[in-house]
Amino acid sequence: MTVTLVVAFLALTSGIVANRFLRPRVMGDDDAEGMGVRDLIGPLMTLTILILAFMLVTAAGSNGRADDAARAEAHALDHLAEMADYAPPAPRQRLRGDAVCYARAVEHKEWPAMAEGKGSSAPSVWSRDFRATFKDLGPGSPTFGMLVAADDQRSLGRQARMTESTPTIPNLIYWFMLVNLSVTVVGLGLCLPRKDNKGPLAALIIVTALLTTTLLIIRDVDRPFSGVIVVKPTQMAEIEEESARDFLDDYAADLIPCDGQGLARPPGGGA
């Protein structure tokens, strides 16, 4: 960083010195052939568009990865609940109940927290109980390997989802682009004619609106779990509904170890 700043400062200083002392000797004292504001705005406009395009691709990639991670996590949880059917009766009930509670905790507790770039401890209660049940089953159980593999995929999906809940584009870059956009718009305004400028002025307003909208879209897409373009817990909600329905086909409702929000019930609590 220091080298970059030093080189940029030296380049700027050299350019100013060359303009002040070298240019009159090379090109004479006539400034008519010098570059104007209009000539300098072209490269700046190109730079702004290129950086905005790069930021948009980066943000869209993060949004897509967040959706993929949510789908993978829900699929792994569904697979784990299905594999639990092959376990002995006691761990089967425990795992299926935990799967319902995990889905509820993710949907109702962790998803809203991710809008703030945070996580929730609620799903971890049930993932720990998954592992405790696996430990009770032991490696000798025929379902042990399949259950552990499914839980591993669930854990990877959750980690990926949580990673994408934080912006991939740092705030410093966003504010840099906001300043860059402002300078570009001001420079374009300087290039407009003062008279009979209704057409160019309208074009400037449209360009400003488009660049600003692009920057706002980037900021929104880069936060997959908040804003307008948001990744919703659709798959997890479907798994929760399906798992709860299957559980209630075989067990009483008060045997689900959590409430509707995925929070553990106190010992002896009812439905």
Side-chain angles (χ1 to χ4, degrees):
M1 180 177 178
T2 302
V3 174
T4 302
L5 293 175
V6 170
V7 171
F9 175 77
L10 291 177
L12 177 61
T13 303
S14 300
I16 295 175
V17 171
N19 175 266
R20 182 70 178 85
F21 298 104
L22 185 60
R23 187 178 185 280
R25 299 179 182 180
V26 176
M27 304 185 65
D29 295 329
D30 186 9
D31 284 341
E33 297 181 3
M35 294 179 63
V37 174
R38 183 176 303 176
D39 300 312
L40 296 174
I41 287 300
L44 181 59
M45 188 71 177
T46 302
L47 175 65
T48 301
I49 293 174
L50 287 176
I51 296 179
L52 283 175
F54 174 77
M55 291 173 63
L56 184 58
V57 171
T58 301
S62 175
N63 193 281
R65 289 191 299 271
D67 186 62
D68 291 341
R71 291 175 182 273
E73 181 187 19
H75 175 74
L77 182 66
D78 183 43
H79 184 59
L80 190 153
E82 291 176 349
M83 290 299 100
D85 285 340
Y86 300 99
R92 178 193 311 158
Q93 175 187 328
R94 185 176 175 183
L95 287 171
R96 290 175 61 182
D98 287 350
V100 174
C101 295
Y102 179 88
R104 289 177 178 178
V106 169
E107 179 185 358
H108 298 290
K109 293 299 179 181
E110 192 155 68
W111 222 270
M114 288 191 301
E116 304 294 332
K118 303 176 182 178
S120 171
S121 61
S124 299
V125 172
W126 310 110
S127 61
R128 285 195 297 268
D129 204 51
F130 286 149
R131 294 190 291 272
T133 307
F134 301 156
K135 184 178 179 180
D136 292 341
L137 276 172
S141 172
T143 59
F144 180 83
M146 294 183 292
L147 288 170
V148 170
D151 186 59
D152 183 58
Q153 292 301 312
R154 175 208 57 78
S155 179
L156 291 174
R158 185 188 181 197
Q159 291 175 9
R161 169 172 57 79
M162 292 298 299
T163 299
E164 299 303 333
S165 67
T166 56
T168 57
I169 300 174
N171 285 329
L172 179 62
I173 295 180
Y174 179 83
W175 288 109
F176 166 75
M177 280 306 304
L178 191 59
V179 172
N180 194 23
L181 185 150
S182 301
V183 173
T184 301
V185 171
V186 171
L188 290 173
L190 288 174
C191 296
L192 296 181
R194 296 179 60 187
K195 299 180 180 179
D196 299 326
N197 62 354
K198 291 183 178 180
L201 187 61
L204 176 63
I205 293 173
I206 293 173
V207 169
T208 304
L210 289 175
L211 293 177
T212 304
T213 302
T214 302
L215 198 57
L216 290 175
I217 290 175
I218 289 171
R219 190 169 182 83
D220 190 86
V221 172
D222 195 37
R223 290 160 173 77
F225 302 102
S226 63
V228 179
I229 307 173
V230 62
V231 176
K232 298 181 179 180
T234 305
Q235 293 78 26
M236 191 60 73
E238 293 175 352
I239 297 304
E240 185 275 327
E241 182 179 352
E242 179 182 343
S243 298
R245 184 175 59 250
D246 292 343
F247 186 93
L248 294 177
D249 286 341
D250 299 322
Y251 308 100
D254 59 354
L255 293 178
I256 296 179
C258 64
D259 59 17
Q261 300 291 308
L263 298 178
R265 292 198 183 105

